[in-house]
Amino acid sequence: MSATWVIALILVATSVNVVADTNDLGVNWGTLTSHPIDPKIVVQLLNDNGFKKVKLFDSDPRMVAFLAGTGIEVMLGIPNDQLEFLSIDYEYAKEWVQENCTSHLRHGGVNIKYVAVGNEPFLTSYKGRFTKTAFPAMKNIQRALNEEGVGKKIKAVMPLNADVYESRSDKPSDGVFRSDIRDLMNKIVRFLKDNNSPFVVNIYPFLSLYLNSDFPSDFAFFDGGYAIQDKNVQYTNVFEANFDTLVYALKNAGTPNLSIIVGEIGWPTDGHKSANKGNAKKFYDGLFRVLASDKGTPLRPGEIEVYLFGLFDEDTKSIEPGKFERHWGIFDFDGKPKFAMDMSGNGAHKELVGAKGVNYLPKQWCVLASYATDQNLIDDRTSWACSKSDCTALQDGASCSSLEPKRKTSYAFNSYYQMNDQHEEACDFEGLGMIVNQNPSTNSCKFSTQIEVDGATRLSFAYGAIASLVSSVTLFNLL
């Protein structure tokens, strides 16, 4: 196996928790969507499906408040754009902890377990933007938690992409932290050890297939068919090889026994030829079998704590990494389960319980008018609609890629129309659009109607963006 493959299988990893018979299975609740489901409904969905843990990407007070009294273990999130302020102003870190942690810890309150400081801040694509601020911010948050008297219960952690470690060969046993951040990572893992905090890593076997056309597809799943030999250990799937590469990196950093949480793992269902429901189900079925066995990995036997990624599809998420980025949910955008899941790992394929109380906009769609003939204008408006909405299902190999050109235009028009709450002017397109009452969906391609969103929910989900803006303005004034 070449070193190139190793980079793909070991380094690659890129917004809660699904639980069956184990308390160590969690799920990520991301909110990068144009039409978020009411948090009250989402919390009910978590309870209905037995989810015991949830990982958030911010600390929206309305979302967090609905988790009070549920017993669900919560990992709060702090976005990367707040790291600089938290790193230089300890008083701000104290205020953050008081407002977002201790204020929820009354009797019958929220079961906060972790604060995730940043999200994959050392990605190589960030080119070092957060390397000077992420660790000081995490130290300030942990210090504030300690001073508030909750530091033994709530730990500051830092979810990291698997690209923070690497192998100098094609073997997990050569695992070390990435050379450009090795000194920093050594300090971070020692800090985590001293505070009895876990190392949180995001691992994505799907990306191994996506980034390397020569990658052996069997190795991305859990059914065998391909293996690598490392000394006396044989690895038959990339997840275990990746995980144990981290174990070796921790050993080489002097923290061999540091606990590990898999903060994100999953498989997308659209936006790429390998991103489909069949592959997603195959991946999850294999993952759940591994988790249910409690065998762990060759270097870390026992239970593995995992947070699935993610809960819902998110139609406004960045597609810079790939068109699949908006399709990681185990539920559709409206809270409908995508497929049966054997979360027990024992062959019990059961439908997840969908979101209850979700209301939809009227059953109407925007399509290309039958009389439209100006092909240049049609192409221009199609491109414009896709730039303002979500056309990732039209990607080559995706669920709607086989539509003929006029239907693809209709898909683009409808995506924009639904994202804009079916406003009549959102189906104009310089006279090319037409509102219809007959569903234009095909067997493989769904033309959706959006859900209704109340004002409170829209305001709540805008909180994170507003908070980030306020932090940036305050930081600018401070500097």
Side-chain angles (χ1 to χ4, degrees):
M1 186 176 186
S2 70
T4 301
W5 278 2
V6 173
I7 292 175
L9 72 90
I10 292 179
L11 304 186
V12 173
T14 310
S15 249
V16 150
N17 253 349
V18 169
V19 179
D21 299 327
T22 174
N23 290 327
D24 286 328
L25 188 61
V27 64
N28 288 265
W29 179 3
T31 59
L32 296 177
T33 174
S34 63
H35 288 69
I37 300 175
D38 189 313
K40 183 178 181 180
I41 295 176
V42 176
V43 172
Q44 182 62 52
L45 178 148
L46 299 178
N47 283 321
D48 287 343
N49 289 282
F51 300 143
K52 303 300 183 185
K53 302 177 183 179
V54 61
K55 177 170 168 279
L56 308 177
F57 291 88
D58 56 27
S59 57
D60 170 22
R62 188 164 182 259
M63 289 174 61
V64 176
F66 276 115
L67 291 162
T70 64
I72 295 173
E73 186 178 290
V74 179
M75 183 185 298
L76 299 177
I78 298 177
N80 289 337
D81 58 10
Q82 296 186 32
L83 296 180
E84 185 170 6
F85 199 22
L86 289 167
S87 71
I88 64 175
D89 188 346
Y90 175 64
E91 291 302 314
Y92 179 69
K94 287 179 59 177
E95 291 176 6
W96 193 97
V97 166
Q98 291 167 355
E99 293 177 5
N100 297 286
C101 291
T102 54
S103 64
H104 294 290
L105 298 181
R106 64 189 183 280
H107 178 70
V110 183
N111 181 21
I112 300 172
K113 183 69 175 291
Y114 301 108
V115 176
V117 184
N119 183 46
E120 301 183 334
F122 304 145
L123 279 173
T124 55
S125 59
Y126 289 149
K127 299 180 179 179
R129 179 182 173 188
F130 303 109
T131 54
K132 294 182 179 180
T133 58
F135 186 32
M138 181 169 70
K139 289 192 291 185
N140 278 344
I141 289 294
Q142 187 63 61
R143 177 185 168 191
L145 290 168
N146 293 343
E147 290 191 3
E148 286 291 307
V150 296
K152 291 185 178 180
K153 177 184 183 297
I154 304 175
K155 301 296 182 179
V157 296
M158 185 184 299
L160 294 167
N161 188 281
D163 77 346
V164 299
Y165 48 91
E166 59 191 1
S167 173
R168 293 166 292 191
S169 68
D170 61 352
K171 312 295 183 184
S173 58
D174 282 324
V176 293
F177 286 115
R178 209 172 69 215
S179 59
D180 62 310
I181 55 171
R182 191 166 300 156
D183 290 343
L184 174 60
M185 288 302 305
N186 288 342
K187 293 176 183 178
I188 289 174
V189 296
R190 286 195 290 267
F191 176 83
L192 293 173
K193 176 179 178 293
D194 291 343
N195 286 276
N196 196 29
S197 303
F199 189 105
V200 180
V201 61
N202 301 338
I203 300 175
Y204 284 98
F206 166 80
L207 293 181
S208 299
L209 281 180
Y210 175 71
L211 294 175
N212 188 344
S213 59
D214 294 328
F215 187 85
S217 60
D218 288 342
F219 203 52
F221 298 96
F222 298 88
D223 301 320
Y226 186 90
I228 62 171
Q229 192 73 28
D230 187 5
K231 298 180 180 179
N232 63 335
V233 177
Q234 186 178 73
Y235 291 95
T236 59
N237 64 80
V238 67
F239 170 70
E240 293 182 0
N242 193 306
F243 191 100
D244 279 0
T245 303
L246 171 59
V247 174
Y248 272 110
L250 291 172
K251 180 180 179 181
N252 287 325
T255 56
N257 299 315
L258 189 64
S259 60
I260 299 172
I261 292 176
V262 179
E264 297 179 17
I265 187 170
W267 198 281
T269 57
D270 211 343
H272 183 263
K273 64 181 181 180
S274 296
N276 54 64
K277 293 179 181 179
N279 279 346
K281 180 171 175 54
K282 178 181 178 180
F283 177 80
Y284 280 120
D285 285 350
L287 176 65
F288 292 142
R289 287 197 304 271
V290 169
L291 297 179
S293 71
D294 287 341
K295 72 181 184 67
T297 69
L299 296 185
R300 282 288 180 93
E303 292 185 2
I304 302 175
E305 186 171 356
V306 165
Y307 289 78
L308 304 183
F309 189 86
L311 195 57
F312 305 114
D313 283 356
E314 300 173 73
D315 64 356
T316 63
K317 195 175 181 187
S318 170
I319 56 174
E320 185 175 351
K323 301 295 177 64
F324 54 84
E325 277 294 327
R326 294 175 176 173
H327 303 280
W328 288 100
I330 57 176
F331 293 88
D332 278 321
F333 71 97
D334 55 358
K336 290 182 178 178
K338 291 184 178 180
F339 45 80
M341 298 184 75
D342 176 24
M343 294 187 293
S344 70
N346 298 316
H349 293 270
K350 296 181 180 180
E351 291 289 343
L352 298 175
V353 179
K356 300 174 182 177
V358 173
N359 295 315
Y360 293 82
L361 298 176
K363 292 183 178 181
Q364 57 190 41
W365 298 262
C366 177
V367 300
L368 176 66
S370 57
Y371 51 78
T373 59
D374 187 338
Q375 192 59 49
N376 287 334
L377 183 60
I378 291 173
D379 291 344
D380 177 75
R381 293 296 85 192
T382 301
S383 178
W384 184 88
C386 283
S387 71
K388 304 294 183 181
S389 60
D390 179 23
C391 291
T392 52
L394 298 176
Q395 173 75 9
D396 288 347
S399 63
C400 298
S401 61
S402 62
L403 293 177
E404 52 91 14
K406 289 186 177 180
R407 280 184 173 267
K408 287 184 177 180
T409 294
S410 291
Y411 185 93
F413 283 8
N414 186 64
S415 179
Y416 180 81
Y417 175 65
Q418 301 295 339
M419 192 172 283
N420 287 275
D421 297 318
Q422 297 187 353
H423 291 159
E424 185 175 354
E425 60 271 22
C427 189
D428 181 27
F429 300 105
E430 298 190 30
L432 299 178
M434 178 175 65
I435 297 173
V436 299
N437 295 318
Q438 184 175 352
N439 191 338
S441 298
T442 67
N443 289 336
S444 62
C445 179
K446 181 180 179 181
F447 284 61
S448 299
T449 52
Q450 263 296 353
I451 65 173
E452 293 181 351
V453 181
D454 62 73
T457 299
R458 283 195 191 277
L459 182 62
S460 172
F461 277 71
Y463 168 83
I466 295 172
S468 297
L469 177 61
V470 170
S471 296
S472 299
V473 172
T474 307
L475 176 60
F476 177 79
N477 291 335
L478 180 67
L479 297 176

